[in-house]
Amino acid sequence: MKVGIIGSGGREHAFCVSLKNSNKIDKIYCFPGNAGTSLIAENIETDLNNFEKLKEIIQKLKIDIIIVGPEKPLVDGIVDFLEKNQIKVFGPNKISSQLEGSKIFTKNLCKKYNIPTANFGVFKNQDKSLSFLKKCKYPVVVKADGLAAGKGVYICERFDQSSNAVKEIFNGKFGEAKEVLIEEFLKGEEMSFFIISDGESYKKFGTAQDHKRALEGDKGQNTGGMGAYSPSRLENLKLEEKILKRIIDPTLKGLKDLNTDFKGFLYAGLMILNGDPFLIEYNVRMGDPECQTILPRLKTDFVEILKACVDKNLKSTRIDWFEEKSLCVVLVSKGYPEKFQNNVEIKEISALKLRENEYIFHAGTKIMENRIYSNGGRVLNFVTKSHNLKEGRNDLIKLIDNLHWENGYFRKDIGFKIIN
Ligand code: AMP
Ligand code: GLY
């Protein structure tokens, strides 16, 4: 079978490695991929906004299944477009992708189907927002509606911060804004919860805990994710039942009532408060770096699962997992998430010796004349699968130190809530 992967991050390299392990794979193509994927697949440079061109390439190469990694093409309707052209795709359609594409769409769904979430209001202009914010209990959370690549969320302790947030949003910092979302701040522990669905039935696809803040001790700015471990320490059967019954099932029912369904990975970003789950946000894809911790734990052939999903056959497919836990440390370019330097060679990467159950997934890297260079904020993902996360993490830290990459920074405390 030939599979095509859309995207170029650590998540997509992890997809690539899991697919490569299957004996059902003949060839993998990545659109556009990174240096890591180029070593086991064929990278194809093409404009992901040009669906027509992409379709021509896929048809010419006779690719059997396409898997879409990032949210932007999903929200832009790539699945609808490719399926209309008889190409099999694993990912949600444009309507369902609004779960991530519009926070207000999701909030309204929560309201209609009684899905537990932070109390919220939607405001159409600056004046109405500000008069509400003057009377609010703090902290509050102010959010821009559309995709903002992990930005566009302000946690505000005081009125001056929230009024600044509202002004920035309405002044177009995240694209044209017609509305703003103001939410109650929920104080609990976050958990990333995943399901996989073929549009008719779904199965749980693991949990993880991301570490979004740039600095150790969960300090500093929000980032795309500095590391993760899986499964989340909060995971238990009772909580899982509540998540499925109170959050996932009514969401899928809501989509059904809109005459659509959900195919692909659905990622619920949850806040757990005294054992009860609240929905913070949906993503219509795998998490990054969560994916890099979840896929190495997957025992079942990933190709079989993808094929079952595009053939609407997931119900009769078992999904098994390895017992070990996993942990991912992200090596980023110094300065990320603000200013950082690209095109810095990572000279010693091919000299690193990985033990069994250790992985390096590339993210922002590129290859030129057999040399590997940085090409983004998040550069490499170091992953261990282990019964002892503390030892596993120590080994990863030694591995990163052995890289001697002076342009890099990483958090040494990933998993601190479960390790200490
Ligand atoms: P989002 O992009 O909606 O996931 O928000 C980014 C991050 O902001 C989340 O991962 C949370 O850490 C935090 N956050 C968002 N909404 C809330 C909320 N209502 N209460 C507390 N923290 C929040
Ligand atoms: N790890 C957060 C995300 O993928 O959005």
Side-chain angles (χ1 to χ4, degrees):
M1 194 178 314
K2 293 182 183 177
V3 178
I5 301 170
I6 292 182
S8 61
R11 168 183 52 212
E12 287 77 17
H13 189 197
F15 285 161
C16 205
V17 170
S18 287
L19 293 172
K20 190 74 183 174
N21 287 336
S22 167
N23 58 20
K24 297 184 178 63
I25 279 287
D26 296 311
K27 176 120 193 184
I28 306 170
Y29 296 94
C30 295
F31 301 93
N34 55 39
T37 65
S38 77
L39 304 174
I40 51 174
E42 184 176 335
N43 283 358
I44 299 182
E45 234 5 280
T46 183
D47 176 7
L48 291 181
N49 294 311
N50 188 341
F51 291 174
E52 191 64 44
K53 181 81 200 298
L54 185 64
K55 175 202 82 180
E56 280 166 23
I57 303 173
I58 293 168
Q59 286 174 335
K60 194 161 152 221
L61 295 171
K62 299 194 164 55
I63 299 176
D64 300 288
I65 300 178
I66 294 289
I67 168 167
V68 187
E71 60 277 16
K72 169 117 187 355
L74 293 167
V75 171
D76 289 345
I78 196 167
V79 170
D80 313 57
F81 177 84
L82 294 178
E83 284 182 342
K84 213 163 54 193
N85 288 284
Q86 282 75 51
I87 294 168
K88 290 189 173 179
V89 202
F90 176 77
N93 62 25
K94 191 171 181 174
I95 298 182
S96 301
S97 295
Q98 285 188 83
L99 286 176
E100 178 163 2
S102 165
K103 292 183 194 299
I104 294 175
F105 172 86
T106 299
K107 279 296 199 182
N108 287 333
L109 193 100
C110 288
K111 200 165 164 183
K112 186 162 172 199
Y113 292 88
N114 272 321
I115 296 169
T117 187
N119 290 320
F120 70 101
V122 176
F123 298 87
K124 291 199 185 305
N125 63 47
Q126 213 162 293
D127 288 347
K128 284 190 178 142
S129 311
L130 294 183
S131 58
F132 176 80
L133 285 168
K134 270 183 197 141
K135 292 177 282 176
C136 256
K137 216 174 116 214
Y138 283 77
V140 296
V141 186
V142 179
K143 298 183 178 181
D145 184 37
L147 289 183
K151 301 182 184 97
V153 173
Y154 299 77
I155 315 267
C156 309
E157 304 286 342
R158 301 182 309 267
F159 173 72
D160 60 312
Q161 295 168 331
S162 65
S163 65
N164 177 54
V166 164
K167 281 174 197 156
E168 286 193 355
I169 292 171
F170 279 115
N171 284 341
K173 185 160 182 193
F174 308 99
E176 194 201 346
K178 293 201 175 75
E179 293 167 317
V180 71
L181 184 63
I182 300 177
E183 277 184 23
E184 157 201 29
F185 178 81
L186 296 177
K187 196 167 161 43
E189 186 167 331
E190 281 182 73
M191 168 175 175
S192 305
F193 183 92
F194 299 88
I195 63 152
I196 186 168
S197 173
D198 65 1
E200 287 174 3
S201 68
Y202 74 83
K203 292 200 151 79
K204 204 191 124 185
F205 207 78
T207 62
Q209 187 167 49
D210 191 6
H211 297 61
K212 288 205 171 84
R213 308 288 282 273
L215 307 177
E216 281 167 21
D218 282 344
K219 303 224 161 62
Q221 277 180 279
N222 253 333
T223 69
M226 297 294 294
Y229 73 86
S230 169
S232 156
R233 68 169 184 156
L234 301 171
E235 190 182 297
N236 66 61
L237 271 179
K238 205 167 148 198
L239 177 63
E240 183 184 320
E241 263 173 37
K242 290 182 189 171
I243 295 168
L244 298 181
K245 196 161 158 250
R246 297 180 190 172
I247 296 179
I248 303 294
D249 290 340
T251 300
L252 297 178
K253 162 92 171 62
L255 293 178
K256 211 167 167 196
D257 291 345
L258 290 173
N259 284 320
T260 190
D261 60 17
F262 192 95
K263 168 166 51 81
F265 289 119
L266 181 61
Y267 159 177
L270 305 173
M271 193 66 88
I272 312 299
L273 266 121
N274 306 320
D276 285 318
F278 290 79
L279 181 71
I280 294 277
E281 62 159 356
Y282 270 129
N283 296 306
V284 296
R285 53 176 173 80
M286 250 293 150
D288 185 336
E290 290 96 324
C291 183
Q292 295 89 301
T293 61
I294 288 179
L295 280 186
R297 300 185 52 239
L298 179 66
K299 207 186 239 178
T300 307
D301 186 327
F302 189 40
V303 176
E304 244 172 65
I305 298 174
L306 287 185
K307 187 158 182 334
C309 282
V310 295
D311 293 340
K312 295 208 180 291
N313 218 355
L314 183 62
K315 204 170 189 171
S316 53
T317 306
R318 262 186 73 130
I319 302 185
D320 292 315
W321 301 93
F322 290 110
E323 291 277 307
E324 290 103 316
K325 300 180 174 109
S326 61
L327 184 137
C328 170
V329 177
V330 181
L331 180 65
V332 303
S333 299
K334 252 183 209 157
Y336 171 80
E338 300 236 298
K339 272 212 179 95
F340 56 82
Q341 201 182 337
N342 268 333
N343 298 311
V344 182
E345 191 177 354
I346 311 168
K347 283 195 185 129
E348 295 181 47
I349 186 161
S350 45
L352 291 186
K353 297 229 167 7
L354 298 184
R355 303 170 197 224
E356 207 191 335
N357 291 329
E358 285 179 351
Y359 312 78
I360 297 178
F361 298 121
H362 289 229
T365 64
K366 66 180 175 190
I367 192 161
M368 288 185 303
E369 288 160 2
N370 285 324
R371 292 166 185 260
I372 292 176
Y373 298 85
S374 62
N375 185 35
R378 292 192 289 172
V379 180
L380 294 169
N381 301 267
F382 290 78
V383 177
T384 176
K385 191 168 76 184
S386 150
H387 285 291
N388 185 327
L389 283 187
K390 188 168 189 173
E391 283 172 17
R393 186 179 69 184
N394 284 342
D395 290 339
L396 291 185
I397 291 173
K398 275 186 223 146
L399 201 58
I400 301 175
D401 286 339
N402 284 338
L403 189 59
H404 304 117
W405 193 54
E406 299 203 336
N407 190 50
Y409 167 78
F410 66 100
R411 274 179 64 169
K412 294 189 176 67
D413 69 338
I414 300 302
F416 69 93
K417 284 188 181 149
I418 191 173
I419 287 176
N420 296 326

